[in-house]
Amino acid sequence: MLGTVTAFLAILMVLALRNVAKAALMPVYAVRDIHRGRYVRGLVLLSCSALAAWSIWAMTHTGRTKPAPVAAVMYTG
C-alpha cells in the first residue's frame, strides 16, 4: 500500500516538474516561433509567459503589511 502511494506521488511530482519546465521554456519557444515566421503563435506564447511572470511577481511582492497593534504584540496571556 505504501509503495503504491509513493509511486503515485512520484508520478505526480514528475508531471508537475515537467509542466514547470515547459513554462520556464515558453519564452524560448516564443522566440523560436517568431524567428521561424510563426509570428502570431510566438507573440501569443510571449504574452502568456509575460503574464505568468507578472502574476508570480505580483503574488510574491505584495505591499507592506500593517503593523500589529502594540497591545496585541505585548499580550502574553
Side-chain angles (χ1 to χ4, degrees):
M1 177 72 181
L2 184 61
T4 305
V5 173
T6 304
F8 179 70
L9 291 176
I11 290 170
L12 287 181
M13 187 173 5
V14 166
L15 291 175
L17 289 174
R18 183 173 173 256
N19 287 337
V20 168
K22 278 185 175 181
L25 289 174
M26 195 181 300
V28 175
Y29 296 145
V31 171
R32 181 196 65 188
D33 285 343
I34 290 171
H35 181 70
R36 289 184 179 173
R38 298 185 210 135
Y39 299 110
V40 174
R41 178 181 166 168
L43 291 175
V44 167
L45 286 175
L46 204 57
S47 63
C48 287
S49 62
L51 182 63
W54 175 76
S55 64
I56 291 171
W57 184 87
M59 288 176 61
T60 56
H61 292 76
T62 57
R64 291 184 59 185
T65 57
K66 292 182 180 178
V70 176
V73 174
M74 298 299 290
Y75 179 73
T76 57

